[in-house]
Amino acid sequence: MADDFGAVTPLSESVLWRLNRAWFEREGPAAWSTGTVPSMITTNAVMGLSYARVVVEFLRRWAETSTAEERRQPVHIVELGAGSGRFAYNFVRKLEPRLRAVPALRDLRVTYVMTDFARSTIDGWRRHERLAPLVVEGRLDFAAFDGAWPAPLRLVQSGTDLDPAAPAPGPLIVLANYVIDGLPLDSFVHEGGVFGEHVVRVVTPYGMKDISSLDDIRLSWGRRAVAAGRYEDPELERLLRSLAGGRGDRTILLPVAFLRTLRYLRSLATGPLLFLTADKGWSRTPIGPQGEGPGMATHGSVSFMVDYSVIATYVRQQGGVAFVPPHQPASLATAAFVLGGQTAAWSELGQLFTDVVVDGGPDDWFQLKEMLDGEQGVPTLAQLMARLRAAQWDSWVFLDLFRAFMIRTIFVTEDERLDVRLALRNVEELYFPIGEHADVPFCVAAVLWRIGDPAAALRLLAWSERLHGPDGERSTLAALCHRERGDLAAARHATTLAIKYEPDLELPYQLVNQLELDATGAGVRADGDDAWSAALWVSTRAPGRPCFQRMPDA
Ligand SMILES: C[S@@+](CC[C@H](N)C(=O)[O-])C[C@H]1O[C@@H](n2cnc3c(N)ncnc32)[C@H](O)[C@@H]1O
């Protein structure tokens, strides 16, 4: 008979977390060496470099306003849930030369502190040949730390305590990759104007004794009303109330354990706290229909998505600054939070975070790696976007990717649509015409039309005409845009122009017929098949590369 753990609880109080903890403690370093827990995306050298650059900028800014005495004190960089240790090694290797290159930071005594709650994992690090020399040099230390139940850290090698009772003078840097997603959270739901909370029961279909991995458990979800004063903690209550408003059905994941820990970490040092993190997560709360409960991923251990926009709201409510990507990352969301110091002081840090972590950073690098590793077909939309971001929205690169964009934007989610629009706006803004044949505004317009933004497409077509003069293909695309906006008269006028400029184009004639059907209401409104598929013929506008299909030779 199926065991169930009986109790129906809020998600953060579920027995699930006890099972998760037991799994990590049992597995130790084998969790990564066997590949059970994915780690490549968070522990590679690019990740190490991106974080190292952000940390150097943070320290550089802090050093500008600190005293010589403060700079003589040790600075700790604490990694939570350091797992295999590979990220720590990559990061320290990348950090060292970059610190030495900045005169104000050259003599700083920086110690990297690897932490985890699993003793077996910490024991594994202490035996590792690569880490040992760093320990001897005093650049690396270890400590047990539970991200859900924070308590003072006792550093194994130096015996130093990081303790709120005696906060360290100076800044503190904390890094956490793939950690927050495995810490207790609560889940709230907005649906049909009703705000409720998910409650959960853990079910083991084959009985408790036979659980060998968390793959063997199921969650049974329910909902309950949210009582006033759901949290005794006034800061969490304030956050929950601020998230309870707003429009649109959505699930709100509140990482309660992490938020309490963040506050604890803040109290460990007197200077500013930089918290850098990456996870399976969202940079904005997804709007849309709800399932039974939030999705749980199982990979030996279990995890949930991290909503960085929720954490950003909390950090700002605490007077801190939050840097979260403006787009939805495809595989790995990253964020940086600073608590303490003057808010204005961190604007350069925010720009650097954008330049090295958001655009062309670890997530984009991973998409491009997948693209090169995979079959050489049409890249996915995520890969195209990564390539464009990594190229800083350069118009040459956009032209190279244009046809693939036209194919990959036939069906887009609302989130993808928002991100493609943002990308096109960046391409448009950066484009510098030099009188070349290639018609960047036309290509931007074609993708805009494709994703259902005909008004913006028409604006770009006007620019294209100013640069390149009138022609039939542009008028054809304009006709498609007018038609999509429901302006049949303008669409007819544009088809007439298209036929006048290029009588051998096929699509304008089809459009004339379609527009007649649209006007009488007799035909299917072809905002589907015919217009979409016709546009597949669009290719880069350059000499000898026509956009739309010509009439077949007689
Ligand atoms: C998914 S692994 C990520 C490891 C590593 N950061 C990476 O990116 O590969 C999660 C890590 O967090 C640790 N962990 C899980 N829950 C924790 C908790 N409550 N406190 C501290 N560490 C925890 C696990 O032992 C494991 O090392």
Side-chain angles (χ1 to χ4, degrees), residues 24 32 37 39 42-43 79 81 83 116-117 145-148 177-178 183:
F24 275 116
W32 298 278
V37 179
S39 66
T42 48
T43 64
E79 183 185 356
D116 209 283
F117 71 168
F145 184 74
D146 189 327
N177 298 329
Y178 271 172
L183 298 180

Side-chain angles (χ1 to χ4, degrees), residues 54-305:
V54 176
V55 167
V56 169
E57 171 61 22
F58 171 76
L59 288 173
R60 196 188 58 74
R61 190 73 186 95
W62 163 76
E64 279 172 12
T65 53
S66 64
T67 62
E69 176 54 28
E70 282 169 330
R71 288 196 297 280
R72 271 193 288 278
Q73 304 300 319
V75 171
H76 293 102
I77 303 176
V78 177
E79 183 185 356
L80 308 187
S84 69
R86 184 173 278 172
F87 169 81
Y89 183 68
N90 270 319
F91 174 86
V92 171
R93 294 295 305 269
K94 302 291 181 195
L95 182 73
E96 289 280 322
R98 286 165 182 81
L99 280 181
R100 278 200 303 274
V102 181
L105 305 181
R106 192 167 291 155
D107 299 322
L108 218 55
R109 288 192 292 143
V110 175
T111 303
Y112 193 88
V113 185
M114 296 170 69
T115 76
D116 209 283
F117 71 168
R119 293 274 169 189
S120 50
T121 298
I122 300 178
D123 291 344
W125 303 332
R126 297 185 73 183
R127 292 191 297 270
H128 202 291
E129 57 169 334
R130 284 298 206 179
L131 301 179
L134 300 176
V135 173
V136 171
E137 291 161 19
R139 292 149 67 194
L140 185 69
D141 214 325
F142 310 111
F145 184 74
D146 189 327
W149 300 101
L153 291 85
R154 159 73 44 100
L155 274 50
V156 174
Q157 297 299 132
S158 67
T160 304
D161 287 325
L162 298 180
D163 187 339
L172 180 69
I173 295 157
V174 182
L175 316 178
N177 298 329
Y178 271 172
V179 176
I180 304 174
D181 64 351
L183 298 180
L185 74 160
D186 285 320
S187 175
F188 297 88
V189 59
H190 251 292
E191 199 165 53
V194 179
F195 189 58
E197 178 173 7
H198 284 120
V199 286
V200 70
R201 190 165 61 114
V202 173
V203 180
T204 59
Y206 308 110
M208 252 311 267
K209 282 194 226 61
D210 292 325
I211 295 185
S212 55
S213 105
L214 296 192
D215 285 312
D216 296 336
I217 63 167
R218 301 282 170 271
L219 299 184
S220 158
W221 294 100
R223 288 185 194 183
R224 68 176 192 187
V226 184
R230 163 70 180 83
Y231 293 113
E232 281 173 19
D233 181 326
E235 291 178 1
L236 289 182
E237 185 65 16
R238 176 180 171 205
L239 175 65
L240 178 63
R241 293 300 142 197
S242 67
L243 298 169
R247 287 213 308 266
D249 290 356
R250 62 198 184 277
T251 296
I252 296 163
L253 300 181
L254 206 81
V256 272
F258 168 70
L259 295 177
R260 291 192 184 107
T261 297
L262 183 63
R263 192 159 55 198
Y264 185 87
L265 293 166
R266 173 78 189 97
S267 67
L268 291 178
T270 57
L273 168 73
L274 168 66
F275 193 94
L276 263 178
T277 167
D279 234 308
K280 288 184 300 89
W282 294 307
S283 49
R284 50 182 181 241
T285 307
I287 303 288
Q290 319 297 326
E292 289 277 282
M296 178 177 77
T298 313
H299 28 69
S301 56
V302 295
S303 61
F304 290 81
M305 293 297 274

